[in-house]
Amino acid sequence: MTYADRFPALLEKATTIIASQDGRDEKLMQICELLHGEVPHYDWVGFYLVDPDAERELVLGPYVGAPTEHTRIPFGKGICGQAADTETTFIIQDVAQESNYLSCSPDVRAEIVVPVMRESIVLGELDIDSHALAPFSREDRLFLEAVCVAVASLL
Ligand code: SME
C-alpha cells in the first residue's frame, strides 16, 4: 500500500466537505487540513484565489502550514503566478532549479500548483509545498487535479 492508494478515499472525503452546509472558506480550510493531515509529503497546503477587484492578481485564501509573506501574487510571478497565467498545473520537483520562484521557507524543496478552473476561466489554485525533493508523482497530479475540479463549484 502506498500513499497514492488512499487518494480515491481522500477525493471522496473532499467531495463530502464540498457538499456540506459550511461556508466557502471553512470548506476550503477543511480540504487543506485533510490533504495536509493525510499525505506525508504535503507540508504546506493552501488556496490562492483570483482577486475579482484587482488586475490579474492572486490573494492568499485558507491554508495550513507556516505563515507566508506572499499574500498577493501577480499573474506570471513565481510558480503560483505562472500556473494562473498559463492555466496549467506546475510541478517543480526541485525549487532550487527554478528561477521564477517565490520562496516562503528554506525548508521547501518542491512545489505543485494546480489551477481551479470553471468554464475556461481561472478562479484560483491549490498550492502545495513539500520539504522532500522530487516527491510528486503522476498520481499526485491526477488526484489534485480531480480535487480542483470538485473545488471549482465553490469559487
Ligand atoms: N512558492 C510560491 C509562493 C507561494 S508559497 O509557496 C506559499 C511561488 O513561487 O509562487
Side-chain angles (χ1 to χ4, degrees), residues 101-119:
Y101 169 67
L102 303 169
S103 175
C104 290
S105 147
D107 295 332
V108 175
R109 309 289 304 277
E111 177 164 6
I112 181 168
V113 182
V114 181
V116 178
M117 309 281 301
R118 196 171 61 229
E119 291 167 9

Side-chain angles (χ1 to χ4, degrees), residues 44 48 68 70 73 77-81 101-102 104 111 127 129:
W44 189 98
Y48 280 91
T68 173
H70 301 297
I73 301 178
K77 200 154 179 229
I79 315 298
C80 291
Y101 169 67
L102 303 169
C104 290
E111 177 164 6
D127 178 17
D129 289 342

Side-chain angles (χ1 to χ4, degrees), residues 83-84 87-88 115-124 148-149 152-153:
E87 301 175 353
T88 52
V116 178
M117 309 281 301
R118 196 171 61 229
E119 291 167 9
S120 303
I121 292 172
V122 61
L123 303 171
C148 285
V149 168
S153 65

Side-chain angles (χ1 to χ4, degrees), residues 9 13 26 28 42 44 98 108 110 132 135 146:
K13 282 191 186 173
E26 283 172 86
L28 293 178
Y42 294 178
W44 189 98
E98 172 65 41
V108 175

Side-chain angles (χ1 to χ4, degrees), residues 51-112:
D51 183 347
D53 300 322
E55 183 64 27
R56 288 167 55 81
E57 195 164 74
L58 297 158
V59 60
L60 182 62
Y63 69 93
V64 174
T68 173
E69 64 186 279
H70 301 297
T71 55
R72 300 192 76 89
I73 301 178
F75 276 35
K77 200 154 179 229
I79 315 298
C80 291
Q82 292 179 81
D85 194 31
T86 60
E87 301 175 353
T88 52
T89 298
F90 264 62
I91 299 178
I92 306 298
Q93 300 284 20
D94 179 0
V95 296
Q97 305 298 320
E98 172 65 41
S99 53
N100 191 357
Y101 169 67
L102 303 169
S103 175
C104 290
S105 147
D107 295 332
V108 175
R109 309 289 304 277
E111 177 164 6
I112 181 168

Side-chain angles (χ1 to χ4, degrees), residues 3-80:
Y3 71 90
D5 293 328
R6 300 181 45 246
F7 283 164
L10 293 180
L11 181 58
E12 203 169 307
K13 282 191 186 173
T15 307
T16 303
I17 290 168
I18 289 164
S20 78
Q21 296 301 311
D22 295 332
R24 183 194 77 172
D25 283 1
E26 283 172 86
K27 294 182 191 184
L28 293 178
M29 181 55 103
Q30 288 166 28
I31 290 170
C32 292
E33 288 166 348
L34 176 73
L35 298 177
H36 183 262
E38 299 289 336
V39 187
H41 57 286
Y42 294 178
D43 292 298
W44 189 98
V45 180
F47 287 95
Y48 280 91
L49 308 175
V50 175
D51 183 347
D53 300 322
E55 183 64 27
R56 288 167 55 81
E57 195 164 74
L58 297 158
V59 60
L60 182 62
Y63 69 93
V64 174
T68 173
E69 64 186 279
H70 301 297
T71 55
R72 300 192 76 89
I73 301 178
F75 276 35
K77 200 154 179 229
I79 315 298
C80 291

